Amino acid sequence: MKKLTESEIEKRLEELDGWDYVDGAIETSFEFKNFKDAFSVMTRIAFECESQNHHPDWSNVYNSLNIRLSTHDAEGVTERDFKLAHSIEEIIVSK
């Protein structure tokens, strides 16, 4: 998959609320009511990641979730990352 240019990435980020381009990846953070809610959403996201065969770098501390997406094979951000980011947004909105 083709690595996107920085200008392509910035343009695509206009479609996503709260996502930024930082050090070669797109990233965002979410805060939930408690750990159970955060972990529940992480589980839903994990199933989506598995179905897309694309896995984030992420971390969770209590009620916060930080997600970072890049395509390691392309050494940067690709359409694949934006597809997963949109899927993650759909999961968050439907929570």
Side-chain angles (χ1 to χ4, degrees), residues 32-42 63 95:
F32 302 92
K33 187 171 96 176
N34 54 42
F35 176 74
K36 183 175 86 171
D37 286 351
F39 197 82
S40 173
V41 169
M42 287 179 72
N63 68 335
K95 166 187 107 46

Side-chain angles (χ1 to χ4, degrees), residues 16-93:
L16 294 167
D17 187 36
W19 289 77
D20 296 302
Y21 179 60
V22 179
D23 296 328
I26 57 173
E27 60 182 41
T28 194
S29 297
F30 299 103
E31 194 168 296
F32 302 92
K33 187 171 96 176
N34 54 42
F35 176 74
K36 183 175 86 171
D37 286 351
F39 197 82
S40 173
V41 169
M42 287 179 72
T43 301
R44 292 174 60 202
I45 292 170
F47 279 97
E48 181 61 30
C49 293
E50 193 63 20
S51 76
Q52 292 187 29
N53 193 30
H54 191 46
H55 306 91
D57 293 327
W58 62 359
S59 63
N60 161 247
V61 177
Y62 181 58
N63 68 335
S64 66
L65 172 60
N66 301 305
I67 301 174
R68 187 170 160 82
L69 300 175
S70 67
T71 303
H72 301 290
D73 293 346
E75 297 180 357
V77 177
T78 67
E79 287 297 327
R80 205 170 176 198
D81 300 300
F82 280 99
K83 179 181 178 195
L84 182 53
H86 282 285
S87 296
I88 289 168
E89 289 294 316
E90 288 176 19
I91 291 168
I92 295 294
V93 168

